[in-house]
Amino acid sequence: MIQHYPFELLPLPYLYDALEPNIDMETMYFHHTKHLRTYIEKLNQALAPYPEFHNWTLERLLLHLDELPEEIREEVRRNAGGVFNHQFYFDGMSPVPRKPEGQLKEAMLLDFGTYEAFQKTFFEMAMSVFGSGYLWLVCDNRGKLAIVPTVNQNTPISRDLYPLMNLDLWEHAYYLKHKNLRADYVWDWFPLVNWEEVGRRYQQALLTIALQNSV
Ligand code: MN
């Protein structure tokens, strides 16, 4: 679905209690209706006086921050990032357990060796992210997978990197249930990854890359 100004709070693709017991209903409810809603409202406020950007998508805003007026650039970076990151995180989870398949699975085996090796590296990097941020699975413009952290509400969106999956490492994502135990949250989150959606994102990235290489 193509979104642009005024951005709206889209419903989750599952119920608030669907990820229990790994992520509790209260956390999902507040995360979606309070945290994400605030980013949406602030993004709309920042863009309201600038109709020339009202048909820009989140991705376009984030990829071309340098084209925005300086007085709203930081506000858009934070809040378009907050909207993108949260929608990406919520859509990247599912109550139905899945495993990587197809080209994504092949790339994971090639770039990490085994799924378990990928998981171990992802876990260790998640533990080493300091303060608030995200950990991402991305691919570069040759389709090679990599794990990269970002701080605050920054995104890895750029001309060379395609985001495939992200893990919200802000404390609000887990504090109600897991308190300060980030490790427990990360292990509870792994089985929720919607690998079907991540695989779709990878297919889309490969298609975009192929099209760019053909022109
Ligand atoms: Mn969050």
Side-chain angles (χ1 to χ4, degrees):
M1 169 178 180
I2 306 288
Q3 305 171 69
H4 52 71
Y5 178 94
F7 293 94
E8 289 172 20
L9 187 68
L10 303 176
L12 295 180
Y14 40 76
L15 298 174
Y16 289 118
D17 64 357
L19 307 181
E20 295 259 13
N22 301 44
I23 301 181
D24 58 295
M25 179 169 91
E26 198 181 9
T27 297
M28 291 305 297
Y29 178 77
F30 279 93
H31 207 169
H32 183 249
T33 64
K34 306 292 179 196
H35 292 277
L36 175 53
R37 186 193 299 276
T38 303
Y39 287 112
I40 290 170
E41 287 171 355
K42 287 187 169 179
L43 177 59
N44 286 336
Q45 273 170 27
L47 293 173
Y50 299 91
E52 62 270 42
F53 303 112
H54 285 185
N55 63 350
W56 281 35
T57 63
L58 284 173
E59 289 84 350
R60 187 169 173 195
L61 288 166
L62 291 165
L63 194 56
H64 301 281
L65 283 166
D66 55 327
E67 293 174 32
L68 299 174
E70 202 181 337
E71 60 269 24
I72 60 166
R73 197 174 299 152
E74 272 314 303
E75 197 64 8
V76 171
R77 182 197 307 280
R78 270 184 217 135
N79 294 298
V83 177
F84 179 86
N85 292 344
H86 280 103
Q87 290 182 347
F88 207 74
Y89 168 72
F90 292 139
D91 290 347
M93 294 190 288
S94 162
V96 184
R98 299 171 198 277
K99 280 278 183 303
E101 286 175 22
Q103 279 181 294
L104 177 64
K105 182 181 177 181
E106 286 168 28
M108 287 188 89
L109 297 181
L110 189 68
D111 296 328
F112 298 105
T114 61
Y115 177 76
E116 288 70 26
F118 156 76
Q119 210 176 25
K120 183 168 181 288
T121 306
F122 199 91
F123 173 77
E124 284 167 0
M125 287 183 72
M127 293 308 291
S128 71
V129 170
F130 182 76
S132 296
Y134 291 78
L135 190 62
W136 301 78
L137 178 67
V138 301
C139 74
D140 67 13
N141 50 20
R142 290 170 302 133
K144 186 175 164 54
L145 303 178
I147 302 171
V148 298
T150 56
V151 297
N152 300 323
Q153 293 296 351
N154 290 353
T155 77
I157 292 179
S158 67
R159 281 162 195 82
D160 309 314
L161 289 182
Y162 298 81
L164 304 175
M165 173 180 95
N166 66 348
L167 171 59
D168 189 338
L169 290 169
W170 287 56
E171 275 190 347
H172 66 235
Y174 60 92
Y175 199 82
L176 289 177
K177 176 181 165 76
H178 299 91
K179 304 304 177 216
N180 59 326
L181 301 176
R182 181 186 282 185
D184 291 0
Y185 162 64
V186 177
W187 285 114
D188 275 349
W189 166 81
F190 272 121
L192 302 175
V193 174
N194 185 347
W195 288 109
E196 198 180 332
E197 172 65 15
V198 180
R200 261 197 299 275
R201 291 166 178 171
Y202 189 51
Q203 291 296 323
Q204 188 58 50
L206 292 178
L207 191 65
T208 307
I209 293 163
L211 286 171
Q212 276 174 358
N213 290 342
S214 70
V215 292

